[in-house]
Amino acid sequence: MAAAPVWSVDPRTGKQREQVAVEATAQEVDAAVRAADAARGALADRTVRAAFLRSAAAGLEAAKDGLIETADAETALGPVRLTGELARTGYQLRAFADIVDEGAFLDVVINHPDDTATPPIPDLRRYKVPLGVVAVYSASNFPFAFSVAGGDTASALAAGCPVVVKAHPDHPALSELVAKVLRRAAAEHGIPEGVVGLVHGFEAGIELIRHPLVTAAGFTGSIRGGRALFDAAAARPVPIPFHGELGSLNPVLVTEAAVAERAEAIGSGLAGSMTLGVGQFCVKPGLVLVPSGAGGDRLVKSLADAVSDTEAGVLLDHRMRDNFVAGVQERAALADVDSPVTPGAGGEHTVSAGVLTVSAEKLAEEGAYDLLLEECFGPVTVVARYADEAEAKAVLSRLPGNLTATVQVSAEEAAGQGRGPELLAELTPLAGRVVVNAWPTGVAVAAAQHHGGPYPATTSTSTSVGGTAIERWLRPVAYQNAPTALLPAELKDENPLGLPRRFNGVLER
């Protein structure tokens, strides 16, 4: 049976633009993985690796105009948003190149023998080595930053791991263009082009996770799709790590003191965050706990006014649009759920942003209102009005793991007065990033960043953004009593590579 063609589709019209490729067969997936595995040795030299990453960043910037034009045609995210995302992607590649040069990620630890210890310590030398070929599953909503050249790919290559990317069907033409840029950058440094493989198709994604030469996987997408791949990774004869980002409600708690101080500002800020990118950010605030009373009323009015002024927008594809329209209709149909601004279809190809409100009491116990505690991908948020602290806590206690949790507090609470210190402790178990008096949309690429959270936000404790994302693709190995002549350069006493390390208990930089 012939493989199905892969089409580029315009989400503004729903029409096919061009045939990009065909879905990969099992044999083609195998060939891509084997080519990637064969390129492992070429990544061994950290100097070459870092230069490759910098060339990849430069190549993306040189191809900027064509890449953004193609990305906008396939995603409708707009040139302004896409230009920023492409810049972020280049910055991310260079940041990982710097990490490779520094070498701290290798986590070198050397212990000389100590016969006086109990038990005696032999000569031990430990560092981290790359796992091998990494499967990367592209995200729909970040065609640059979480796709072919995104964080999973950049961190895996930085770790010394070749990648095979499963392209997202929402931007196949862009995926092909970006892969070509990366392969050209690899060739500039004598690295085989197979170091970055690309396959299309649902079945190809299944074949990829099952391939015996694939040693780990990174995924950003839905709970359903991610869980299926996670289970497949665990069911292999040799299970592999699966670092998946699956979904997040990103709750917000607004205190009584905060609404008394700045209800309108919080409402307008929330509107900007939940409608950003037509609500297609993984950290969109989807549930907001707001106190009952006059202050809460002012906040909801400010939110509704701002959302009402938001123009209808195009989602990434018509399947997502249909799911959004059906999802908000089902939620709005629940008894005692109000719609200050009704979300739904904005036109034949667009959606309108909206706000749903409900009593927090309805969410505090298991039942039909559990639907409101599930992520709805698109420009909608649920405002739950709570009567007291106990009611707000009851709702928070029912939430699954999230990428973020946000608290809006007053100036006094921020200074440590009242319940201020308690609030962070209450939210910390819920999420990987706790935000105070800001909004979760916008994930900075920084050394201290953590983009992950308890399940189902992610399937591991790792981050997919920031320098420590590299740790996902490494494993530690220790050598005991190995003669100096047999040791890798990273573990020799004289430290010929000038690496940061811990030497006999002392941190050396």
Side-chain angles (χ1 to χ4, degrees):
M1 183 177 179
V6 175
W7 291 88
S8 175
V9 177
D10 184 346
R12 295 179 176 90
T13 64
K15 295 181 179 178
Q16 294 176 340
R17 295 176 59 248
E18 57 183 319
Q19 183 177 332
V20 175
V22 294
E23 294 186 357
T25 64
Q27 292 76 18
E28 288 167 335
V29 172
D30 178 67
V33 174
R34 292 187 182 280
D37 186 64
R40 290 175 64 181
L43 290 177
D45 187 318
R46 287 189 301 116
T47 302
V48 171
R49 220 148 77 207
F52 166 35
L53 292 171
R54 292 189 178 99
S55 292
L60 291 174
E61 289 162 357
K64 170 184 171 182
D65 292 345
L67 293 176
I68 289 174
E69 180 182 359
T70 301
D72 185 44
E74 291 190 314
T75 67
L77 288 173
V80 173
R81 150 73 194 273
L82 291 166
T83 297
E85 189 185 330
L86 181 58
R88 166 196 169 135
T89 304
Y91 173 82
Q92 191 163 245
L93 286 161
R94 290 192 175 96
F96 277 113
D98 292 342
I99 288 169
V100 172
D101 280 339
E102 180 192 61
F105 74 97
L106 294 170
D107 198 18
V108 176
V109 183
I110 294 176
N111 284 125
H112 283 168
D114 184 356
D115 292 337
T116 67
T118 305
I121 297 173
D123 186 276
L124 286 169
R125 296 157 191 263
R126 178 188 189 271
Y127 77 152
K128 292 179 178 176
V129 298
L131 289 174
V133 179
V134 170
V136 172
Y137 293 80
S138 291
S140 61
N141 55 341
F142 281 88
F144 291 117
F146 282 85
S147 295
V148 176
D152 286 347
T153 295
S155 58
L157 292 172
C161 296
V163 299
V164 177
V165 181
K166 191 278 184 186
H168 197 280
D170 282 348
H171 33 82
L174 177 67
S175 298
E176 289 286 341
L177 292 177
V178 172
K180 289 178 182 177
V181 171
L182 296 185
R183 289 166 180 158
R184 283 197 298 268
E188 288 176 21
H189 301 282
I191 300 172
E193 293 186 359
V195 73
V196 177
L198 182 69
V199 297
H200 298 267
F202 175 81
E203 291 299 329
I206 299 297
E207 292 291 338
L208 185 59
I209 200 69
R210 292 174 176 167
H211 198 286
L213 291 179
V214 168
T215 61
F219 171 90
T220 302
S222 68
I223 293 179
R224 181 180 178 183
R227 185 54 195 255
L229 291 170
F230 176 72
D231 291 346
R236 290 167 37 128
V238 178
I240 60 172
F242 182 86
H243 300 282
E245 179 191 322
L246 310 189
S248 184
L249 194 60
N250 304 302
V252 178
L253 173 64
V254 185
T255 69
E256 184 80 45
V259 295
E261 187 175 271
R262 51 192 172 85
E264 289 79 8
I266 294 173
S268 61
L270 171 60
S273 183
M274 51 87 50
T275 61
L276 186 66
V278 202
Q280 297 175 108
F281 281 71
C282 51
V283 289
K284 179 205 75 175
L287 174 70
V288 188
L289 288 160
V290 173
S292 301
D297 291 342
R298 294 188 352 254
L299 186 156
V300 173
K301 183 179 186 306
S302 173
L303 169 64
D305 288 347
V307 172
S308 295
D309 291 338
T310 304
E311 294 184 0
V314 178
L315 294 185
L316 291 159
D317 62 39
H318 273 234
R319 176 185 58 81
M320 291 182 187
R321 179 187 177 278
D322 293 344
N323 287 342
F324 174 77
V325 172
V328 295
Q329 286 177 346
E330 187 178 5
R331 288 163 172 78
L334 293 169
D336 300 317
V337 171
D338 295 323
S339 303
V341 183
T342 303
E348 186 179 359
H349 304 291
T350 60
V351 297
S352 294
V355 178
L356 304 176
T357 63
V358 68
S359 166
E361 181 183 14
K362 301 288 186 182
L363 305 180
E365 296 183 4
E366 185 176 351
Y369 292 89
D370 287 358
L371 180 63
L372 300 176
L373 302 180
E374 297 177 9
E375 180 184 15
C376 186
F377 192 74
V380 65
T381 196
V382 175
V383 175
R385 305 292 298 274
Y386 65 88
D388 52 35
E389 293 175 8
E391 201 166 81
K393 285 183 179 180
V395 175
L396 291 174
S397 70
R398 300 200 60 235
L399 299 185
N402 290 270
L403 294 170
T404 70
T406 298
V407 60
Q408 295 286 339
V409 297
S410 68
E412 285 190 357
E413 289 169 326
Q417 304 297 314
R419 292 189 63 240
E422 300 173 24
L423 294 172
L424 265 64
E426 291 175 8
L427 294 178
T428 296
L430 291 177
R433 178 163 58 105
V434 179
V435 181
V436 182
N437 286 355
W439 299 104
T441 39
V443 184
V445 180
Q449 185 59 271
H450 185 82
H451 189 63
Y455 185 86
T458 53
T459 60
S460 71
T461 59
S462 301
T463 180
S464 60
V465 178
T468 52
I470 196 173
E471 295 173 359
R472 297 174 296 169
W473 321 119
L474 299 163
R475 69 174 181 87
V477 60
Y479 295 93
Q480 181 172 331
N481 292 344
T484 300
L486 303 184
L487 286 170
E490 291 86 350
L491 297 181
K492 294 181 184 292
D493 278 356
E494 56 270 28
N495 197 8
L497 303 179
L499 295 169
R501 62 183 187 174
R502 187 170 291 279
F503 190 83
N504 287 330
V506 177
L507 185 63
E508 299 180 344
R509 296 190 180 279

